Amino acid sequence: MGKNKSLGIFDSGVGGLTVLDRVLDRNYYDRIIYFGDTARVPYGSKSKETIVRYGKQDVRFLLTEKVDEIIVACGTVSANALEELQTSFSVPIRGVIDAAADAAAKATRNGKIGILGTEATIRSGIYARKLNAIAEKLDVQSVACPLFVPLVENGFCTFENPIVRETCRYYLQPLKEAGVDTVVLGCTHYPLLRDMIAEFFGDSVTLIDQGEALADTIPLGKVSPSELSLSFCVSDDVQLFQKNLKVLLRHSVHPAVTQIDIGAF
Ligand code: DGL
């Protein structure tokens, strides 16, 4: 195709769409293939070994599509498997943690940063390590929010829903009490809950979106929407994903969704 690059991007499910949205804003790639491992979501409750194995299969599949670069649009894989992926494959592979950690360190005024993530991301301790490498004195408080992903995958995203409101209060109250002024949405599903997280914390807390932070590092290109070839693959039901795509992706696209057998890669 044109002079631009092709991109493979993956997540365990629909969460990576929040990263894709931000990547699309950059008009940089002229071919993008998104893979959502919907048959095996959630990744966040799995062991590191399983997450590494799944991540390798996801990359192997995308490489069959001859992509030039890969973005791991999943906080869990970025936290637990990025180095293994980078040493196992020669294609450039980027995760979502570094840019978000930099953005959080820049945003905080009182040095207190909250991290929300899946169990596997919080267990990895990666944000605290990265942030303390940027500035030792940063106070990093992390909270695993295992119920957020199933809420999002089931379309429960508004504060009017009492289950959502109570879950939110349960996970976020300790960070409010700790006085954090910056909170990293450390799972790519969480921007889909952004309005209610923002409402809970109020204006004095800055929310960091991993996809937004990563997209800020991608050059601004000139690929128009009509020049872009965008396709989606999933490992489970195509119709369900198509429905989610319409609701969750800000950019309006009407591409085909294909089901693949990720176990074969
Ligand atoms: N969206 C993924 C993340 O950023 C994972 C959600 C899950 O599969 O648990 O961590």
Side-chain angles (χ1 to χ4, degrees):
M1 277 195 120
K3 56 184 166 14
N4 292 290
K5 289 191 164 186
S6 61
L7 174 73
I9 176 165
F10 72 91
D11 178 47
S12 58
V14 297
L17 296 177
T18 66
V19 182
L20 176 63
D21 248 333
R22 302 292 182 172
V23 170
L24 289 174
D25 288 341
R26 308 303 290 177
N27 299 322
Y28 180 69
Y29 300 97
D30 62 4
R31 191 165 63 90
I32 300 180
I33 294 138
Y34 181 97
F35 173 62
D37 195 0
T38 48
R40 304 191 296 196
V41 66
Y43 280 13
S45 54
K46 307 285 193 302
S47 66
K48 181 178 167 69
E49 291 66 35
T50 300
I51 295 164
V52 170
R53 183 159 54 82
Y54 285 0
K56 283 186 178 170
Q57 287 180 305
D58 300 342
V59 170
R60 265 188 229 116
F61 161 64
L62 289 171
L63 290 180
T64 65
E65 297 288 328
K66 310 249 176 302
V67 294
D68 299 316
E69 291 175 23
I70 289 181
I71 288 179
V72 181
C74 173
T76 302
V77 177
S78 301
N80 287 275
L82 188 64
E83 277 172 27
E84 284 87 344
L85 297 181
Q86 287 169 334
T87 50
S88 304
F89 301 98
S90 55
V91 67
I93 303 180
R94 283 197 286 169
V96 286
I97 311 275
D98 284 348
D102 286 345
K106 272 199 197 102
T108 186
R109 297 164 308 280
N110 70 4
K112 293 185 182 180
I113 299 175
I115 309 295
L116 304 174
T118 64
E119 282 165 310
T121 296
I122 299 307
R123 192 179 59 219
S124 76
I126 192 155
Y127 270 107
R129 274 202 307 286
K130 298 258 177 202
L131 284 163
N132 288 135
I134 296 170
E136 239 172 69
K137 58 180 186 344
L138 290 174
D139 174 4
V140 183
Q141 316 237 3
S142 304
V143 179
C145 313
L147 295 178
F148 276 174
V149 168
L151 284 178
V152 170
E153 291 280 335
N154 287 285
F156 284 41
C157 296
T158 64
F159 223 19
E160 286 76 58
N161 185 309
I163 301 170
V164 174
R165 205 173 332 120
E166 191 48 33
T167 310
C168 204
R169 196 197 56 75
Y170 178 78
Y171 288 139
L172 307 183
Q173 188 64 32
L175 292 183
K176 199 181 227 179
E177 281 165 16
V180 299
D181 73 354
T182 303
V183 171
V184 178
L185 306 176
C187 166
T188 55
H189 279 71
Y190 299 176
L192 299 167
L193 299 170
R194 184 179 183 132
D195 288 351
M196 79 174 195
I197 295 173
E199 190 173 330
F200 181 87
F201 282 118
D203 290 344
S204 57
V205 171
T206 306
L207 299 182
I208 305 292
D209 174 332
Q210 297 176 122
E212 195 177 352
L214 176 74
D216 282 346
T217 69
I218 297 173
L220 205 50
K222 291 196 172 122
V223 178
S224 70
S226 62
E227 289 169 313
L228 170 70
S229 152
L230 177 61
S231 53
F232 292 83
C233 295
V234 290
S235 51
D236 199 60
D237 186 54
V238 164
Q239 261 138 33
L240 179 64
F241 188 82
Q242 247 153 357
K243 212 172 101 204
N244 279 331
L245 197 56
K246 278 204 193 103
V247 183
L248 301 179
L249 198 71
R250 235 179 345 104
H251 283 260
S252 118
V253 293
H254 309 280
V257 182
T258 310
Q259 185 170 359
I260 61 137
D261 173 11
I262 192 63
F265 292 89

